[in-house]
Amino acid sequence: MVRSRFKLTKFASIIILGSMILFLDPQASAQDKIQLSIDTTKPGPKIDRNIFGQFAEHLGYGVYEGLWVGSGSKIPNTRGIRNDVVAALKALKIPNVRWPGGCFADEYHWRKGIGNRAVTLNPNWGGVVEPNTFGTHEFMDFIDQIGSRAYLSINVGSGTPQEAAEWLEYLTTPLPTTLQKERAANGHPAPYQIPMLGIGNESWDCGGNMTSEYYLRQLTIYSRFVRNFNPEQQGNRQMMKIAVGPGGAEARWTEWTDTIMKAWKNRQWSWDMQGLSMHNYTVINWENKFASVGFGEKEYSQILKETLKMEDLITRHTAIMDKYDPEKKIALVVDEWGSWYAPLPGSNPGFLVQQNSIRDAILAALNLNIFARHAERVRGANIAQMINVLQAMIMTDKEKMVLTPTYHVFKMYVPFQDATFIPVTFNASTYTKDDIALPRVDAIAAKDTSGKLWLELTNVDPNNAVEIEVSVMGSNANSATGETLTASKVDSVNTFDAPDVVKPKSISAKAQNGKLTIKLDPKSVSVVSIS
Ligand code: AHR
């Protein structure tokens, strides 16, 4: 549990963030030192590394050009997959990659992407030709090259249970069936591992516009027949089947979660699921989206206010899930999240190309912290999307590649993968811009698998640095060392010509009288280890 100390005034307003209560005190000055206490005597749940998952859809330059260039390309590659992109992604220790969609998944027919390829269309995203040169084997090769694992989305919208069941047999059986022999002839005699399987995508919308009851019928059928035959993935190592879940705060999604969870509770032996997905993008106006570049402090604060709604959404759907699953057997998997801005001028609007600024780095940190505070229930998340699409880690232009501020945040958070949540108590203070009031500071702490203590600190305030005085209960705190990410302007970005505008730099602090004083730059994300 995270608690917060505060100076309560008659003006103080309260917001609730996960298990943390923040008291926003407008009388606290930006210059006040913030006291933060870490209590290592009360360890919490494991922060599942799967919350740092990625999403790679056949959309714009996300797959083609972004990661797949083909073996004949002048861009250095291994079996068609870009070496520069693989090296950059490896450093993120990505736990899983969700593929092939998104909306694309419900129109994807896997057979067109093995052996002799069929050239098809991608009507969802720009109406372009889909060459299917990047198919099942190329995806499995890609995740192997970056050291990750597969999260496949199967086609429920326009496919059949038979098609999906055969895909899984093709991928996972060790026995000499016709499909296994075909897989071997295509270069992979050994069965693949598929740890995560999404049964449809946004079935309430692009995935087939289904009602919750109609989807439930599909779910029970697919869950019954789509089997993983890999001997390594039986018993308690079984593949997670993830049902389509809610897509926002409206009442129809409350009903959706209730319908699926109630049915799960009363299920027959013949079907099951281990996860429920949730999608939530940070977007203020779908018809007139905010720009990803050239914005000011007003838009900075509006977007960060919007992104904090993730907290309420998770709390709300967790409460419904708790009703039917108090033991938290079913994971909530936020398998699409991130900022969604207007397409960059001159880009194909169907390709969802946007820039990525320090605002996105802070947005990413705030969301990752929300997931960590809900670690008992939120055991998976996939930021949308990995390369060249929406809130990307990497942007490419032919042979050029640039790492975004969001990439750096994901790299800084690697120590939190599978770490044990440790409660922190602090007075967040308040940052205000016009009528918007936000917690000035956010923080999480965790102990990694080797026992090392890590602290993440976000300073949301774009104008003022803040000093954090850290004390640690239950262990010694002599020094802190780590990295911080900041930028000169709220809309600072990295470009192909200036790739290091937003780049982490080192920070450190030494303890005095048992306390560490860490100074956070304005609009910054910092991760330090404490020893
Ligand atoms: O990430 C882009 C799209 O957003 C996905 O294809 C879809 O699932 C969601 O609506």
Side-chain angles (χ1 to χ4, degrees):
M1 293 290 279
V2 184
R3 290 148 291 141
S4 183
R5 284 192 275 141
F6 61 98
K7 272 196 288 176
L8 192 57
T9 72
K10 63 180 173 176
F11 302 112
S13 56
I14 299 174
I15 64 163
I16 298 180
L17 264 186
S19 50
M20 174 175 63
I21 299 174
L22 296 175
F23 293 85
L24 304 184
D25 179 358
Q27 290 184 352
S29 110
Q31 278 71 45
D32 282 355
K33 244 186 207 173
I34 288 181
Q35 302 295 320
L36 183 145
S37 160
I38 307 176
D39 190 354
T40 64
T41 65
K42 297 192 180 73
K46 182 175 89 171
I47 301 169
D48 197 310
R49 64 190 298 258
N50 280 317
I51 68 165
F52 300 95
Q54 298 281 336
F55 175 30
E57 179 166 15
H58 287 233
L59 193 176
Y61 302 118
V63 169
Y64 299 108
E65 300 201 20
L67 65 93
W68 175 259
V69 286
S71 53
S73 170
K74 282 195 292 233
I75 299 172
N77 68 83
T78 302
R79 295 180 292 281
I81 297 162
R82 292 178 74 128
N83 293 346
D84 53 353
V85 166
V86 166
L89 292 175
K90 254 182 168 171
L92 299 187
K93 300 198 187 309
I94 296 169
N96 71 79
V97 181
R98 181 169 179 255
W99 177 83
C103 298
F104 180 82
D106 278 303
E107 297 193 56
Y108 184 64
H109 300 283
W110 67 274
R111 282 209 149 275
K112 301 190 175 179
I114 58 161
N116 286 330
R117 310 304 163 99
V119 176
T120 57
L121 291 171
N122 189 340
N124 274 296
W125 304 118
V128 293
V129 162
E130 165 57 58
N132 283 299
T133 42
F134 189 87
T136 298
H137 289 273
E138 292 75 21
F139 172 68
M140 298 306 290
D141 188 15
F142 166 64
I143 56 168
D144 194 44
Q145 288 190 34
I146 64 168
S148 190
R149 310 196 79 201
Y151 176 3
L152 288 189
S153 285
I154 54 171
N155 180 346
V156 171
S158 68
T160 62
Q162 181 183 0
E163 182 188 13
E166 287 180 357
W167 195 13
L168 266 286
E169 182 191 324
Y170 178 84
L171 283 158
T172 63
T173 185
L175 299 178
T177 66
T178 304
L179 283 169
Q180 185 277 337
K181 287 182 184 154
E182 192 178 358
R183 185 186 73 222
N186 286 331
H188 209 275
Y192 287 114
Q193 292 211 11
I194 307 296
M196 296 167 84
L197 190 84
I199 302 183
N201 170 75
E202 297 193 353
S203 303
W204 29 260
D205 188 22
C206 71
N209 213 3
M210 302 172 192
T211 62
S212 55
E213 279 298 338
Y214 186 86
Y215 172 73
L216 178 63
R217 296 280 71 82
Q218 305 301 308
L219 171 65
T220 55
I221 295 167
Y222 277 80
S223 165
R224 169 82 185 118
F225 297 115
V226 179
R227 297 183 172 96
N228 185 321
F229 297 101
N230 191 321
E232 300 291 320
Q233 294 196 272
Q234 307 305 315
N236 59 11
R237 286 172 301 178
Q238 73 178 305
M239 173 176 79
M240 255 178 110
K241 289 180 183 164
I242 300 160
V244 169
E250 294 156 33
R252 64 178 170 132
W253 281 304
T254 307
E255 185 269 337
W256 185 285
T257 300
D258 201 270
T259 302
I260 307 295
M261 289 303 298
K262 189 174 181 180
W264 174 80
K265 182 171 189 238
N266 300 316
R267 73 196 177 283
Q268 306 283 323
W269 65 269
S270 53
W271 77 278
D272 205 350
M273 66 186 210
Q274 290 73 34
L276 182 74
S277 91
M278 183 170 105
H279 290 182
N280 182 40
Y281 285 97
T282 301
V283 53
I284 292 180
N285 181 348
W286 283 100
E287 273 65 55
N288 187 16
K289 299 188 192 77
F290 277 40
S292 60
V293 281
F295 55 87
E297 188 180 341
K298 179 80 187 167
E299 294 81 9
Y300 168 89
S301 59
Q302 284 174 304
I303 287 288
L304 295 183
K305 180 177 177 197
E306 183 68 23
T307 214
L308 290 173
K309 290 184 181 165
M310 178 68 88
E311 168 59 40
D312 177 56
L313 210 55
I314 290 177
T315 304
R316 213 183 280 198
H317 288 279
T318 296
I320 303 170
M321 294 174 82
D322 284 350
K323 234 175 23 172
Y324 302 108
D325 174 29
E327 294 172 72
K328 301 196 192 295
K329 288 186 175 156
I330 305 293
L332 185 60
V333 181
V334 190
D335 54 13
E336 286 188 29
W337 68 275
S339 57
W340 191 322
Y341 303 123
L344 280 184
S347 67
N348 181 332
F351 284 9
L352 311 186
V353 183
Q354 63 188 41
Q355 247 298 4
N356 196 298
S357 65
I358 187 71
R359 177 177 66 181
D360 295 292
I362 291 174
L363 182 155
L366 294 175
N367 279 280
L368 291 171
N369 291 0
I370 292 171
F371 301 152
R373 285 194 280 268
H374 286 273
E376 278 192 333
R377 181 64 85 179
V378 179
R379 301 198 293 271
N382 300 73
I383 189 166
Q385 300 193 4
M386 192 159 59
I387 307 165
N388 291 330
V389 177
L390 299 177
Q391 191 176 347
M393 306 296 114
I394 290 176
M395 299 184 78
T396 64
D397 180 15
K398 302 190 182 64
E399 75 291 349
K400 291 184 259 182
M401 177 187 89
V402 67
L403 306 177
T404 67
T406 302
Y407 172 93
H408 293 304
V409 169
F410 270 71
K411 186 148 178 244
M412 290 161 71
Y413 269 75
V414 164
F416 290 92
Q417 294 196 10
D418 279 347
T420 302
F421 184 85
I422 301 290
V424 290
T425 306
F426 58 100
N427 171 2
S429 175
T430 314
Y431 152 65
T432 49
K433 172 67 186 165
D434 303 336
D435 56 341
I436 292 181
L438 300 173
R440 169 172 286 127
V441 167
D442 192 25
I444 58 163
K447 267 195 178 175
D448 70 16
T449 41
S450 72
K452 195 187 252 191
L453 181 61
W454 294 87
L455 174 65
E456 189 284 331
L457 296 161
T458 303
N459 182 8
V460 170
D461 190 327
N463 306 311
N464 299 292
V466 62
E467 280 195 328
I468 314 283
E469 209 166 72
V470 180
S471 54
V472 183
M473 286 190 263
S475 65
N476 290 331
N478 298 317
S479 62
T481 51
E483 288 189 317
T484 188
L485 186 74
T486 185
S488 57
K489 297 186 290 156
V490 285
D491 63 341
S492 292
V493 297
N494 292 335
T495 63
F496 297 112
D497 296 332
D500 292 335
V501 171
V502 191
K503 191 183 173 188
K505 58 182 191 203
S506 319
I507 45 165
S508 60
K510 286 250 175 294
Q512 276 189 330
N513 305 323
K515 284 188 175 183
L516 294 159
T517 302
I518 303 175
K519 187 168 177 195
L520 305 178
D521 285 336
K523 50 181 153 14
S524 64
V525 176
S526 307
V527 174
V528 293
S529 70
I530 296 176
S531 52

